[in-house]
Structure formats: structure tokens, C-alpha cells
Amino acid sequence: VSFRNSQNNNSNHDQYKPNDNTRVNDLNQTKTFSLIHPRSTTSLCGIDMPEDLDRSCAILGPGMVLLKNYINISDQAEIVNTCHEFGMGPQGFYQPGYKGGAKLNLHMMCFGRNWDPQTKYDPYYRTDGFQAPPVPDQLISLVESSIQDSQAHDDEIPSMYPDICIVNFYTTTGRLGLHQDRDESQSSLNRGLPVVSISIGDSAEFVYGDSRDVEKANEVLLKSGDVLVFGGKSRHVYHGVKKIIPNSAPLPLLQQSMLRPGRLNLTFRQY
């Protein structure tokens, strides 16, 4: 399903369009963070490849399916632009942290419901009181299609309606320790409703396993355009990002979007 063709006119969408002139007062955000880094095409560092690669699938475990090359380059560029548009607005990217002062090694924004490591799904994590904008319709369609395609390989993956999207951007030095996604409602967790993770930009060494012991974890390379679905028996899998591979993004994506070096990751779930 094309990201472009799945868009429709939602009257609720326009009221959430970001206003770049609105000052962001979040205590965790000292300045705006842009996904776009304009530079000359001759200075772009990426991997030259066709815009459309053959799709494939890998079964990583029960309820855990990796859809390789699932999103084509032009649709990836549109996702970058959508996240950039909202990310520069009042609900935009910030660096989440803890009361002690430690910060996560990434920038984040949310659609649907706000989340951060301290307040979890508190609807108002910002001092300015802004709520998260709704998940864009075209992203909902893309997620629903990816779940349906993953179910063709593992029919025990449940269906879900993505009403939450956490958008993380990792610079080339970014990482995220092994953790579980357990902050959704008890009903969602009990039913094993899947998490859908979209990777765009530089590749990531993704680790996953049954515990927080990184030495016992499995590892897979997530490339730009890959979609990882994990639900059912794998809903509570420990997972994290060990390393971002610099200069591994598709060159056509950088030419179309001017995405800054690093990895854009969108994770969807149903609260």
C-alpha cells in the first residue's frame, strides 16, 4: 500500500498542524531539533541503491516478523517530511530525561498520546500543556497493511489499531538499552497487540531476547524501509538499539529528503 495513496482528508488533521512561530516551553527542550540538514548533494554520504528493492520476510520468533525493504524510498521521504513538519512545531522533538538529570541518547516526539520515561502516558508531559497530535491517517494505513502482511507469515499476530506513535531519532552515536514496552493498557498487553517499528535512514544493530542480558541477546540489522512487527508471544520481548551504522542510509533517500545523519524510528502500538 502506497504511503502517498493512503492519505485522506481528515478534518481533525489541520487543527494540529504545527505553528513554527510558537515557542516551546518544555523544560527538557532547549532548542528545536530538525530532521532535515540541507547540504550539497556531493557531500551526501550514503549507499547508492535502487529506489525499490524486492521485499522479503524473516521470522525472528513466534509473533516476531521482519518485513525487509517494505517501504519504498519515495514513501520513506514522505514520512521524513511528515515527522519534520510536526517535529519543528510546539509538539515537536525534545530530548527526554529523568529527574536526576540523565537524558536518553535520542530525540523524541509523539503522535496520539504523549509518553516519556518519567510520566509514561501522561497526556500533558509538557509545561506548555500541548497534547500530542493524532496519528496521521497515512501512517495508520501503512501500519495496518504491514500487520496484515506479517499475519500472512505468522497468523498468531493479533490485529490492532495504532492510536500511539513514538518517534525517535538516533544520531550516529545514539543507542537504547534493552527494555520491554509495557506501558500500554493491561488489555492491550494481555492480548499481545503488536508493536510495529519502522526504520528510516542509517541502519541499526537491533538486539532482542528473553532478558536484559545483552550477552545472550540476538542481533539483527534493521535497514531503511524495514518494518519489524512483534506481538503475541513476543509482545514482551526485551529489545534495544546497540549501534547506529554511519553512512548506511540509502543515497536516494538522502537526495529526496535531506534527512540528517542518523536513524528515524517510528513505533506504533494500541493503548
Side-chain angles (χ1 to χ4, degrees), residues 28-206:
N28 289 319
Q29 181 168 347
T30 57
K31 60 182 179 179
T32 56
F33 177 81
S34 174
L35 290 177
I36 306 302
H37 177 51
R39 58 245 197 234
S40 68
T41 55
T42 57
S43 68
L44 296 175
C45 296
I47 299 176
D48 196 7
M49 61 178 66
E51 290 199 17
D52 293 302
L53 299 173
D54 292 337
R55 290 180 172 182
S56 61
C57 173
I59 309 298
L60 303 185
M64 193 170 190
V65 174
L66 175 58
L67 303 172
K68 298 290 296 178
N69 305 319
Y70 191 77
I71 307 172
N72 64 38
I73 294 294
S74 61
D75 289 349
Q76 291 178 50
E78 285 199 40
I79 294 173
V80 171
N81 290 334
T82 295
C83 293
H84 171 70
E85 176 188 6
F86 283 97
M88 292 294 288
Q91 309 100 330
F93 284 104
Y94 79 112
Q95 192 172 10
Y98 298 90
K99 290 182 179 178
K103 293 182 180 293
L104 296 184
N105 200 11
L106 51 81
H107 285 79
M108 185 181 74
M109 64 168 288
C110 298
F111 292 110
R113 284 176 181 253
N114 290 324
W115 180 92
D116 82 358
Q118 291 188 130
T119 60
K120 309 306 181 183
Y121 284 117
D122 186 331
Y124 297 100
Y125 71 81
R126 295 180 182 276
T127 56
D128 57 23
F130 278 108
Q131 290 182 294
V135 182
D137 294 332
Q138 63 269 35
L139 291 177
I140 292 175
S141 298
L142 176 61
V143 170
E144 291 179 330
S145 297
S146 66
I147 292 174
Q148 291 173 4
D149 287 339
S150 69
Q151 289 169 335
H153 303 280
D154 187 337
D155 59 10
E156 293 190 6
I157 295 177
S159 298
M160 68 96 168
Y161 180 81
D163 57 7
I164 299 167
C165 174
I166 299 176
V167 184
N168 289 329
F169 185 83
Y170 302 80
T171 64
T172 52
T173 59
R175 60 190 183 279
L176 186 62
L178 283 164
H179 66 283
Q180 295 173 301
D181 292 345
R182 299 184 65 100
D183 294 332
E184 291 69 47
S185 71
Q186 201 59 53
S187 172
S188 179
L189 295 174
N190 289 345
R191 288 184 287 165
L193 301 188
V195 173
V196 176
S197 174
I198 292 175
S199 297
I200 296 176
D202 285 328
S203 300
E205 292 181 1
F206 182 83

Side-chain angles (χ1 to χ4, degrees), residues 5-47:
N5 293 337
S6 66
Q7 298 184 58
N8 58 58
N9 294 324
N10 184 336
S11 60
N12 291 326
H13 183 80
D14 289 340
Q15 66 177 306
Y16 289 96
K17 275 188 174 293
N19 176 1
D20 291 350
N21 295 320
T22 302
R23 187 166 68 93
V24 177
N25 296 319
D26 192 299
L27 293 176
N28 289 319
Q29 181 168 347
T30 57
K31 60 182 179 179
T32 56
F33 177 81
S34 174
L35 290 177
I36 306 302
H37 177 51
R39 58 245 197 234
S40 68
T41 55
T42 57
S43 68
L44 296 175
C45 296
I47 299 176

